[in-house]
Amino acid sequence: MKAGPIRFIATNTAPQQVHEFAVLRMGSDGSLDKVDEIEGIDPEQAQTLTLDLTPGAYQLACLIAPGEHGSTVDHYQQRMHTSFEVQ
């Protein structure tokens, strides 16, 4: 996608589980830095987040950890993430 303002609509389609929506910037060394996030999106709810992103590699991820919002698993480790590029 093109650099500049990008509006994300995060919809939690899970019937019972809370999720998060985080935008992470990927460093050239593989590191991840959180740009911003929506915490605690309730089941079957949606929230929006608009960010002014610069060119680079990013990830969208759910960062719920075990014990958070009743979760027994790490959502990121369960592959609740995807990469994208801003040009």
Side-chain angles (χ1 to χ4, degrees):
M1 56 187 69
K2 289 188 175 190
I6 300 170
R7 182 175 178 230
F8 298 95
I9 301 170
T11 303
N12 179 358
T13 60
Q16 297 179 348
Q17 194 170 38
V18 173
H19 287 282
E20 294 179 350
F21 178 84
V23 179
L24 311 171
R25 183 166 177 108
M26 299 172 62
S28 58
D29 61 354
S31 63
L32 296 170
D33 292 311
K34 189 179 345 173
V35 176
D36 206 346
E37 72 179 323
I38 302 169
E39 292 190 39
I41 304 171
D42 288 330
E44 301 179 346
Q45 298 297 311
Q47 294 188 37
T48 62
L49 177 65
T50 302
L51 298 172
D52 191 8
L53 297 181
T54 58
Y58 293 84
Q59 277 192 356
L60 303 177
C62 182
L63 301 179
I64 298 280
E68 192 175 3
H69 296 285
S71 179
T72 58
V73 297
D74 183 305
H75 288 201
Y76 189 89
Q77 288 181 352
Q78 295 293 308
R79 298 183 179 195
M80 293 184 199
H81 57 86
T82 190
S83 299
F84 70 102
E85 185 82 22
V86 174
Q87 301 177 356

